[in-house]
Amino acid sequence: MLRRWVVSFINPSHTNRTFHTSKLLRTAQIIDGKKIAGDILNEVKQSVESWVQAGNRRPKLVAILVGHNPASKTYVSNKVKAAKSVGIDSETILCSTDITQVSLVERIQSYNTDPSIDGILVQLPLPKGLDEKKICHSISPSKDVDGFHSENIGNLSSDKSGIIPATALGVRELIVRTKIDTFGKNAVVIGRSKHVGLPIALLLHADGNGETGALDMTTTICHRHTSHMDLQKFTLLADVLVAAAGVPGLITKEMVKPGACVIDVGITRVKDAQGKFKLTGDVDFNGVKEIAGFITPVPGGVGPMTVAILMKNTLFAAQHNPKRT
Ligand code: GUN
């Protein structure tokens, strides 16, 4: 009863009581990112085998890890494992924290011109003193499997086929494969980072008749300078709410439209009461699952999708550069 009052108070324009009541009695469907990522990896594996059987070289990914960030080590190790599981060759390049910008760029340039390599990624964040933007832009756009280079972002912005940032495409796949209705609906993306929030918003808002598989949604981007009061006004309109702010627990149930699809991109390592690290999303999962129609967990939601799409992007890079031997 109290919950129904809260919802009608925060969203007085919502008059469909039957829908309200039924939604309040049901909890959200959990979107299983691990399962969907597994499906994508199986598809990529089959495509890799067909590609190799047609006489092409096996795709190869180079992952560059600078320094000793434990989270970065885990992410790179997950990427290498995923590559192995789909039949993509991979090599991890370990660089010490004191590598200079010039030496790192020189190494990347040598991989750019190496015809046996299809995909290159530099795991972020980089140690202080290295300019992430310049490093990411030194990767050849055709081998930039993270899709961070401005040429790839430019293609995405122009509805042109290209390498799409892995997390953004992962979010799109979660929405589409869960069969969420998107055409003409409202989306709100919280976070405007160039690698995550912005490309997600580009994929959600753009014309589905273009080459990128965009979703034709009316899309609003909120960010750190959106006041909390305004943030709630926007989020309550969202049929699809994507939280990519990196602020644990930012999205509470009062901010969510009943029945909405809530995608949690946040993964912050926080210490629990026992002093152990755990991954925490931007969404108060337990509260929001009572209101939302669909919700991704953390971990097990967007994270595995980024890795699976990275494999898809590596195969794409190989297939769109057939001259490599
Ligand atoms: N660090 C956190 N997410 C990512 C990602 O998607 N790619 C790279 N290269 N580094 C990251």
Side-chain angles (χ1 to χ4, degrees):
M1 184 62 202
L2 175 67
R3 209 185 305 138
R4 193 183 307 164
W5 178 81
V6 170
V7 171
S8 52
F9 174 73
I10 57 177
N11 192 7
S13 65
H14 211 291
T15 51
N16 186 345
R17 279 208 179 271
T18 319
F19 170 74
H20 258 176
T21 312
S22 64
K23 265 299 151 199
L24 287 172
L25 295 176
R26 264 191 286 150
T27 59
Q29 178 184 321
I30 314 291
I31 301 177
D32 187 347
K34 248 185 168 168
K35 156 84 176 61
I36 298 174
D39 294 344
I40 292 172
L41 288 173
N42 280 335
E43 291 160 20
V44 174
K45 184 176 179 172
Q46 282 176 20
S47 303
V48 167
E49 288 322 311
S50 308
W51 175 249
V52 172
Q53 272 177 12
N56 298 292
R57 176 181 52 70
R58 213 165 261 288
K60 181 172 176 186
L61 171 68
V62 163
I64 303 172
L65 176 62
V66 185
H68 307 284
N69 181 326
S72 293
K73 275 188 188 170
T74 307
Y75 290 135
V76 168
S77 140
N78 288 343
K79 290 170 185 179
V80 167
K81 272 188 213 150
K84 192 160 186 225
S85 77
V86 298
I88 289 177
D89 288 338
S90 73
E91 193 178 337
T92 305
I93 309 296
L94 301 173
C95 300
S96 69
T97 317
D98 58 9
I99 190 167
T100 63
Q101 173 99 5
V102 171
S103 322
L104 185 53
V105 169
E106 273 172 9
R107 285 192 91 152
I108 291 169
Q109 279 164 349
S110 74
Y111 303 135
N112 283 341
T113 52
D114 182 337
S116 73
I117 294 168
D118 301 292
I120 304 166
L121 72 87
V122 178
Q123 187 62 32
L124 304 177
L126 288 171
K128 278 200 188 97
L130 294 170
D131 183 332
E132 284 187 1
K133 230 180 219 171
K134 285 193 180 139
I135 299 290
C136 288
H137 278 88
S138 69
I139 299 174
S140 162
S142 68
K143 297 191 180 187
D144 164 40
V145 285
D146 268 324
F148 293 164
H149 195 286
S150 42
E151 188 173 314
N152 286 316
I153 295 292
N155 282 334
L156 176 59
S157 309
S158 317
D159 300 336
K160 275 168 64 183
S161 164
I163 301 178
I164 296 177
T167 301
L169 189 51
V171 167
R172 183 223 177 250
E173 290 300 302
L174 286 176
I175 293 169
V176 169
R177 290 176 188 236
T178 309
K179 301 191 168 36
I180 304 294
D181 194 9
T182 53
F183 189 83
K185 302 281 184 186
N186 293 336
V188 171
V189 180
I190 304 171
R192 60 176 174 180
S193 72
K194 300 296 175 227
H195 296 165
V196 180
L198 175 72
I200 291 172
L202 290 171
L203 262 183
L204 295 181
H205 94 279
D207 188 344
N209 290 319
E211 295 172 356
T212 62
L215 297 180
D216 287 296
M217 303 191 79
T218 302
T219 302
T220 304
I221 303 177
C222 299
H223 50 75
R224 68 179 68 238
H225 301 305
T226 309
S227 78
H228 195 79
M229 283 269 291
D230 285 343
L231 182 63
Q232 180 160 337
K233 280 186 210 153
F234 288 119
T235 57
L236 280 171
L237 291 174
D239 300 298
V240 171
L241 177 58
V242 181
V247 179
L250 174 69
I251 303 301
T252 57
K253 64 181 179 188
E254 293 78 16
M255 301 168 76
V256 174
K257 178 175 173 179
C261 171
V262 180
I263 308 280
D264 193 350
V265 185
I267 23 168
T268 308
R269 274 157 57 93
V270 290
K271 259 189 192 165
D272 65 13
Q274 283 74 45
K276 272 173 86 179
F277 280 107
K278 66 175 193 134
L279 295 179
T280 306
D282 288 356
V283 176
D284 168 25
F285 182 85
N286 287 327
V288 171
K289 79 176 195 306
E290 303 298 326
I291 297 290
F294 304 86
I295 189 167
T296 60
V298 176
V302 174
M305 294 297 290
T306 302
V307 177
I309 299 292
L310 187 71
M311 300 307 127
K312 198 175 162 81
N313 282 353
T314 305
L315 176 61
F316 179 97
Q319 291 178 329
H320 288 79
N321 289 280
K323 286 201 188 109
R324 287 178 204 151
T325 53

